[in-house]
Amino acid sequence: MQRINLIDIELSLSRLIYGVWRLADDPDQSIKQVRAKIDAALAEGITTFDHADIYGNYECEQLFGQALAQDSSLRSKMELISKCDICLNTEKFPDRRVKYYDTSAAYLNSSVELSLQKLHTDYLDCLLIHRPDPLMNAAETGAALDALIDAGKIRSAGVSNFHAPEWRLLQGHMRHRLVINQVEISILCQDAFLNGDLSDIQSDGLAPLAWSPLAGGRLFGDEAAAQRVRPLLARLAAEQNSRMDLVAFAWLLAHPANILPVVGTNNVGRIQGLSEALAIKIDRETWFEIWVAASGNELP
């Protein structure tokens, strides 16, 4: 599978990334079932796995880590990304009164230590700040990320859902380069193409990861935009002997920013064949045909 090199460091990611945010939703949470998903992803050439401390109400990292604990050789075959700074108002933290964000050094350090413990690893390949924090002290947060990299606990740092002024503020207080911005991009969520996010990401050399590349499943739901675009996706899938979900991923892959879709499914059968998305051809006119069908508006 094609790989994307991150800026300024010797680290590359698989062009498709397996997102584990629904891992705890699977009724079968056995190590055997988790391992089956990991093996299916690796067989497709998908070596990068996207986590966050909060996924599955703080349970997904641990479920995934049990498979790594059972077979330590798996760790050398993959890149692990995790995210932090969202503090959920959940029964696991009964003293919390509200969901909030925390980018303090103390919180980042404690979150990384817990992620390493749960994932049974000595380091993360990349740590992302999950959401912009209105109370972020950029000097403190930047110094904490630099220190984590220097200590070898994370190989690199990035952000998620940030706009350019927010990540540039943080970058201005760091010695190491931010290497990733993970944002929502899909056929049904075109904002990043229009609001300057993808342009700024390319200008600053960040790798754009796309979360919810199927719009959280809405692409196959009943809303008007999905119903307008789905016949086109079905036609393209039939013409190329493929699947509609793979056509949707191929639409993102066709963009010159080198978007990396974060694909999440608990169905091992859906993981199998994901790499075929890289072979689907989406020419310029077809790309815009999909855009117009989803938006419901002709281009100006």
Side-chain angles (χ1 to χ4, degrees):
M1 175 175 287
Q2 179 188 3
R3 301 187 65 81
I4 298 296
N5 295 319
L6 299 183
I7 190 170
D8 284 356
I9 59 173
E10 293 183 4
L11 177 63
S12 65
L13 308 179
S14 55
R15 189 66 194 277
L16 293 176
I17 295 173
Y18 184 70
V20 305
W21 70 287
R22 287 177 170 163
L23 203 62
D25 294 344
D26 192 335
D28 184 356
Q29 298 181 7
S30 66
I31 296 176
K32 180 180 179 181
Q33 176 70 352
V34 173
R35 177 63 188 265
K37 297 170 192 175
I38 294 173
D39 287 344
L42 292 175
E44 292 295 310
I46 301 171
T47 63
T48 307
F49 295 82
D50 178 72
H51 294 264
D53 56 354
I54 63 169
Y55 284 169
N57 195 19
Y58 297 93
E59 293 181 359
C60 286
E61 285 183 326
Q62 187 165 336
L63 290 173
F64 191 95
Q66 289 172 358
L68 298 187
Q70 186 182 72
D71 183 357
S72 59
S73 70
L74 284 174
R75 180 63 182 95
S76 64
K77 301 174 183 177
M78 62 179 59
E79 302 82 42
L80 294 178
I81 298 171
S82 196
K83 300 180 284 294
C84 70
D85 93 327
I86 299 177
C87 302
L88 294 182
N89 181 16
T90 167
E91 72 280 359
K92 292 184 183 294
F93 296 92
D95 293 336
R96 289 180 183 169
R97 302 184 304 278
V98 66
K99 175 183 176 182
Y100 64 96
Y101 304 142
D102 190 343
T103 50
S104 67
Y107 188 83
L108 297 185
N109 288 329
S110 65
S111 179
V112 167
E113 291 296 339
L114 281 172
S115 290
L116 297 179
Q117 177 184 333
K118 290 179 178 180
L119 289 167
H120 292 273
T121 185
D122 296 327
Y123 67 95
L124 298 173
D125 291 282
C126 193
L127 174 72
L128 309 183
I129 304 299
H130 205 158
R131 290 275 177 179
D133 173 14
L135 293 180
M136 181 180 72
N137 180 324
E140 178 183 357
T141 303
L145 292 173
D146 279 336
L148 286 166
I149 294 172
D150 292 341
K153 294 184 178 181
I154 64 175
R155 293 183 65 187
S156 61
V159 295
S160 179
N161 304 296
F162 275 49
H163 298 301
E166 296 160 334
W167 80 64
R168 287 172 182 162
L169 172 63
L170 178 58
Q171 182 66 85
H173 291 274
M174 294 182 64
R175 290 180 287 104
H176 297 284
R177 289 287 298 270
L178 295 169
V179 297
I180 287 172
N181 188 17
Q182 184 175 141
V183 295
E184 184 178 8
I185 319 175
S186 71
I187 290 172
L188 298 189
C189 183
Q190 303 172 354
D191 294 350
F193 299 110
L194 300 170
N195 64 12
D197 280 351
L198 271 178
S199 298
D200 287 322
I201 285 170
Q202 292 177 88
S203 294
D204 287 3
L206 302 175
L209 275 60
W211 61 266
S212 284
L214 299 180
R218 292 187 297 113
L219 190 59
F220 303 105
D222 296 330
E223 63 186 85
Q227 292 189 53
R228 286 195 303 268
V229 78
R230 209 156 48 236
L232 175 55
L233 299 182
R235 189 197 82 202
L236 293 169
E239 289 175 352
Q240 303 200 36
N241 192 28
S242 188
R243 304 179 340 215
M244 282 195 293
D245 60 331
L246 302 186
V247 175
F249 300 144
W251 186 78
L252 295 175
L253 294 170
H255 194 276
N258 284 331
I259 296 169
L260 293 88
V262 180
V263 181
T265 176
N266 277 318
N267 187 325
V268 174
R270 303 302 291 180
I271 299 172
Q272 295 168 345
L274 282 174
S275 61
E276 296 173 13
L278 279 75
I280 294 176
K281 296 177 175 60
I282 304 285
D283 62 31
R284 180 179 290 267
E285 186 172 7
T286 302
W287 197 92
F288 279 103
E289 189 179 7
I290 292 171
W291 171 293
V292 169
S295 67
N297 298 308
E298 293 291 337
L299 292 174

